[in-house]
């Protein structure tokens, strides 16, 4: 049972990110002082939106320069904080040559660096770690190994590696290291938030988060020939941010919390968007047979045959009862999708063919 002083500052790592933007906003709205870490506090595209929120809210924003790859880099930011929310981690699914350097090292060594800073700072009582359902499973086919055909917090991803699903591997490896470090001491406790695919409006245009590219891909014609039957859990970014605050300030919060509203296939997501946004966009209209995707998929993008074999055609389901008991109230994936897509349209990130 951990009671947090509401006047103490809260540290949020990776504050420039898509999810962290909402966390910082909710903390500032509630009057907290936020120690926000970013790699480059002078970069307006990373911090301008946070500074604008801070000006309008009762809380106070303090920026710190911290890099996951540098030991000692988070020491100053955690000083005086009773809660540390560690969200920073690279979330990219393509565009790198060396997965170990681009994903795994910053995720794992970065988590170690943050938690070693926590160990050196006597003020910290609780860490909230942004893990992922990637800590729970690697491929959709892993659903066959669950007890009741549903992923729960008891499941661990044992099928990812640097060579197969390296992002998922970076997340499960970082979460395992975090629990090891946590269990080696007794002064602070840790709660992990394990979100499914996060969608919903973004407070920043600068994020590289793969979440933001997914909707663009569904509408810009890259998938117009059809999509494989890929199923994923979906959760709204605002629910994920709220869950971080609930995890931090609910004294008896403990362990892992899966965050997922419901699961949808890519085709169902596209059909939802098409019914609302009509014909101006090149949404996929059908599912492609798995053998066809297996044969041609690897030529069209960074997917491998192993990924297709172990993911296409398997529907995933998640038990979200622990997060609901914590106080998370979910909106539907359809509401989230439509609101997020509307924002992408309004921001000019995707253009209707009619407007072109
Ligand atoms: P994001 O917008 O790309 O945010 C990630 C943040 O990590 C960036 O703001 C970046 O900050 C920081 N970062 C990356 N490399 C860094 C480094 N070497 N040193 C310091 N900071 C670094 O992605 P997001 O979607 O909000 O993801 C946030 C967290 O949620 C991640 O841990 C991700 O794995 C997890 N998650 C995301 C989803 C999802 O669907 N989006 C689902 C489950 C879990 P800079 O400004 O300094 O570059």
């Amino acid at each position: 049972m951990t009671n947090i002083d509401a006047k103490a500052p809260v540290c949020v790592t990776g504050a420039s990110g898509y999810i962290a933007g909402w966390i910082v906003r909710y903390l500032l709205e509630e009057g907290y002082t936020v120690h926000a870490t970013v790699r480059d506090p002078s970069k307006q595209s990373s911090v301008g939106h946070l500074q604008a929120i801070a000006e309008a809210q009762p809380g106070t924003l303090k920026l710190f320069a911290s890099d996951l790859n540098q030991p000692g880099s988070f020491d100053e930011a955690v000083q005086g904080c009773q809660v540390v929310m560690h969200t920073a981690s690279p979330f990219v699914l393509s565009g790198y040559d060396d997965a170990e350097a681009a994903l795994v090292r910053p995720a794992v060594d970065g988590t170690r660096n943050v938690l070693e800073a926590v160990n050196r700072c006597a003020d910290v009582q609780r860490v909230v770690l942004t893990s992922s359902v990637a800590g729970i499973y690697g491929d959709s086919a892993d659903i066959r190994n669950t007890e009741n055909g549903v992923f729960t917090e008891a499941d661990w991803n044992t099928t990812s590696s640097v060579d197969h699903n390296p992002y998922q591997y970076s997340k499960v490896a970082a979460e395992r290291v975090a629990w090891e470090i946590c269990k080696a001491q007794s002064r602070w406790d840790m709660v992990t938030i394990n979100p499914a695919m996060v969608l919903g409006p973004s407070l920043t245009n600068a994020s590289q988060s793969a979440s933001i590219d997914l909707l663009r891909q569904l509408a810009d014609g890259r998938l117009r020939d059809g999509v494989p039957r890929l199923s994923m859990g979906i959760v709204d970014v605002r629910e994920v941010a709220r869950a971080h605050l609930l995890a931090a300030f609910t004294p008896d919060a403990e362990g892992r919390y899966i965050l997922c509203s419901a699961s949808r296939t890519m085709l169902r997501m596209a059909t939802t968007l098409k019914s609302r946004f009509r014909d101006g966009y090149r949404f996929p209209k059908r599912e492609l047979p798995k053998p066809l995707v297996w044969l041609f998929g690897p030529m069209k993008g960074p997917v491998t045959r192993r990924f297709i074999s172990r993911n296409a055609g398997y529907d995933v389901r998640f038990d979200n009862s622990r997060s609901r008991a914590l106080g998370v109230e979910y909106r539907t994936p359809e509401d989230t999708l439509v609101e997020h897509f509307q924002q992408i349209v309004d921001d000019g990130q995707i253009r209707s063919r009619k407007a072109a």
Side-chain angles (χ1 to χ4, degrees):
M1 180 84 78
T2 303
N3 279 305
I4 304 296
D5 176 358
K7 292 193 193 76
V10 174
C11 177
V12 180
T13 71
S16 54
Y18 168 51
I19 296 173
W22 282 99
I23 297 176
V24 172
R25 173 170 161 169
Y26 291 153
L27 288 168
L28 292 172
E29 281 175 2
E30 292 191 16
Y32 285 94
T33 294
V34 180
H35 288 194
T37 82
V38 291
R39 272 180 282 193
D40 182 359
S42 68
K43 199 164 140 194
Q44 268 306 296
S45 60
S46 288
V47 300
H49 63 292
L50 301 177
Q51 287 166 329
I53 294 166
E55 269 171 35
Q57 298 302 333
T60 304
L61 181 72
K62 293 185 178 170
L63 297 171
F64 295 81
S66 308
D67 193 313
L68 292 172
N69 296 315
Q70 280 175 23
S73 186
F74 292 86
D75 284 12
E76 203 189 331
V78 301
Q79 285 310 310
C81 297
Q82 295 193 357
V83 171
V84 173
M85 298 187 184
H86 176 36
T87 84
S89 205
F91 181 30
V92 286
L93 300 177
S94 58
Y96 50 80
D97 295 324
D98 180 350
E100 177 78 36
L103 290 167
V104 182
R105 241 177 274 144
V108 175
D109 294 353
T111 297
R112 204 175 272 122
N113 288 336
V114 170
L115 296 185
E116 281 170 0
V118 165
N119 270 340
R120 287 190 286 270
C121 173
D123 304 307
V124 180
Q125 295 189 30
R126 174 162 292 173
V127 170
V128 180
L129 176 78
T130 317
S131 184
S132 167
V133 289
I136 306 276
Y137 81 109
D139 293 303
S140 301
D142 297 347
I143 196 85
R144 292 177 303 184
N145 305 329
T146 57
E147 259 181 41
N148 298 308
V150 182
F151 289 117
T152 74
E153 285 86 356
D155 294 307
W156 280 89
N157 172 3
T158 56
T159 57
S160 299
S161 67
V162 184
D163 302 319
H164 177 63
N165 292 338
Y167 166 72
Q168 285 84 341
Y169 178 65
S170 77
K171 294 304 288 181
V172 69
E175 192 188 327
R176 282 194 187 279
V177 160
W179 282 117
E180 255 171 50
I181 297 172
C182 174
K183 285 180 177 153
Q185 55 78 55
S186 57
R187 181 175 49 77
W188 49 272
D189 64 11
M190 185 171 82
V191 179
T192 70
I193 299 297
N194 297 70
M197 175 56 89
V198 182
L199 297 172
S202 176
L203 298 173
T204 166
N205 279 333
S207 162
Q208 301 296 310
S209 173
S211 282
I212 298 175
D213 197 43
L214 177 76
L215 289 194
R216 275 195 297 255
Q217 270 190 52
L218 271 183
D220 67 8
R222 273 179 278 177
L223 302 171
R224 67 184 176 281
D225 296 337
V227 278
R229 186 179 176 85
L230 284 180
S231 156
M232 67 191 82
I234 295 174
V235 59
D236 192 282
V237 65
R238 292 159 290 188
E239 267 91 271
V240 177
R242 281 271 172 240
H244 281 73
L245 273 74
L246 287 165
F249 305 119
T250 305
D252 58 359
E254 51 87 34
R256 313 171 88 196
Y257 290 89
I258 287 177
L259 269 275
C260 176
S261 167
S263 298
R264 297 288 183 259
T265 61
M266 285 180 81
L267 184 63
R268 185 160 167 194
M269 289 164 67
T271 308
T272 296
L273 293 174
K274 188 169 159 54
S275 71
R276 175 65 184 260
F277 294 92
R278 302 290 159 198
D279 298 324
Y281 304 94
R282 289 182 289 171
F283 296 111
K285 292 190 191 106
R286 60 174 192 274
E287 275 174 356
L288 298 170
K290 186 167 175 174
L292 196 70
V293 185
W294 187 86
L295 204 58
F296 295 113
M299 290 177 205
K300 299 197 76 178
V303 286
T304 63
R305 293 213 160 106
R306 186 163 170 214
F307 176 84
I308 292 158
S309 299
R310 292 192 38 82
N311 289 277
Y314 295 99
D315 288 350
V316 291
R317 288 175 60 214
F318 299 89
D319 179 351
N320 66 8
S321 54
R322 266 178 57 77
S323 58
R324 282 189 285 111
L326 183 67
V328 178
E329 290 175 21
Y330 290 103
R331 67 199 91 199
T332 64
E334 284 66 35
D335 285 350
T336 298
L337 275 165
V338 167
E339 219 183 312
H340 192 167
F341 195 74
Q342 185 67 57
Q343 184 192 43
I344 290 176
V345 170
D346 293 346
D347 286 356
Q349 293 190 49
I350 185 151
R351 282 169 65 84
S352 158
R353 276 189 300 171
K354 285 180 185 161

